[in-house]
Amino acid sequence: MVIEILQIVGIALISTFLVLIIKEQKPNIAFLLVVFVGCTIFLFLVDQIAAIIHMVEKIALNAKVNTVYVATILKIIGIAYIAEFAVQITKDAGQASIASKIELAGKIIILSMAVPILTVLVETIINMIPN
């Protein structure tokens, strides 16, 4: 894992220097380089993301947790990361107002997905309270 972070940081630093150099002459190309490097770093981490998902599913099965809830939580986490990635790219493009709309959309989608889990949690707590 130490080697992987060093590779990611190396790619990021080299790209940063290239972007700083290119930005003055060709800002459009510099922005595309930023997007490309961001996507490349994300793709570099796909194997680790898959391993994390597999571990969480294994823990849920061992704990006999309903897989629907685990899948929903994993989707919520995925939406949060994707929204954050899009927000950062949009801010890099100088479009802060669009970035704030992406944040709002992500939060609303997450909330709508979390309501069934919150409902079950509240019902469980209510059932634990003695009458």
Side-chain angles (χ1 to χ4, degrees):
M1 288 197 184
V2 173
I3 299 293
E4 291 172 348
I5 192 65
L6 290 175
Q7 290 173 336
I8 291 170
V9 169
I11 290 169
L13 289 175
I14 291 168
S15 301
T16 301
F17 294 132
L18 287 173
V19 166
L20 290 173
I21 293 168
I22 296 172
K23 193 174 188 176
E24 293 179 15
Q25 301 295 322
K26 302 278 185 181
N28 293 338
I29 304 249
F31 175 70
L32 290 175
L33 179 60
V34 168
V35 172
F36 175 76
V37 169
C39 291
T40 302
I41 290 171
F42 178 76
L43 291 174
F44 194 81
L45 298 172
V46 167
D47 289 338
Q48 290 189 351
I49 293 169
I52 291 168
I53 290 171
H54 180 70
M55 282 189 283
V56 169
E57 288 173 344
K58 187 177 177 182
I59 291 169
L61 287 174
N62 289 340
K64 295 184 172 96
V65 175
N66 190 338
T67 56
V68 172
Y69 302 128
V70 175
T72 302
I73 290 171
L74 289 173
K75 287 177 187 176
I76 288 171
I77 293 168
I79 289 169
Y81 281 125
I82 290 168
E84 179 64 22
F85 182 77
V87 164
Q88 293 303 320
I89 293 293
T90 309
K91 284 182 179 178
D92 287 344
Q95 300 298 319
S97 62
I98 294 174
S100 66
K101 305 313 183 276
I102 294 170
E103 284 179 329
L104 177 63
K107 289 174 184 177
I108 290 172
I109 291 169
I110 287 170
L111 181 61
S112 70
M113 292 181 74
V115 167
I117 294 173
L118 291 173
T119 303
V120 170
L121 183 64
V122 169
E123 290 173 356
T124 303
I125 292 170
I126 289 173
N127 289 333
M128 295 174 97
I129 298 173
N131 291 330

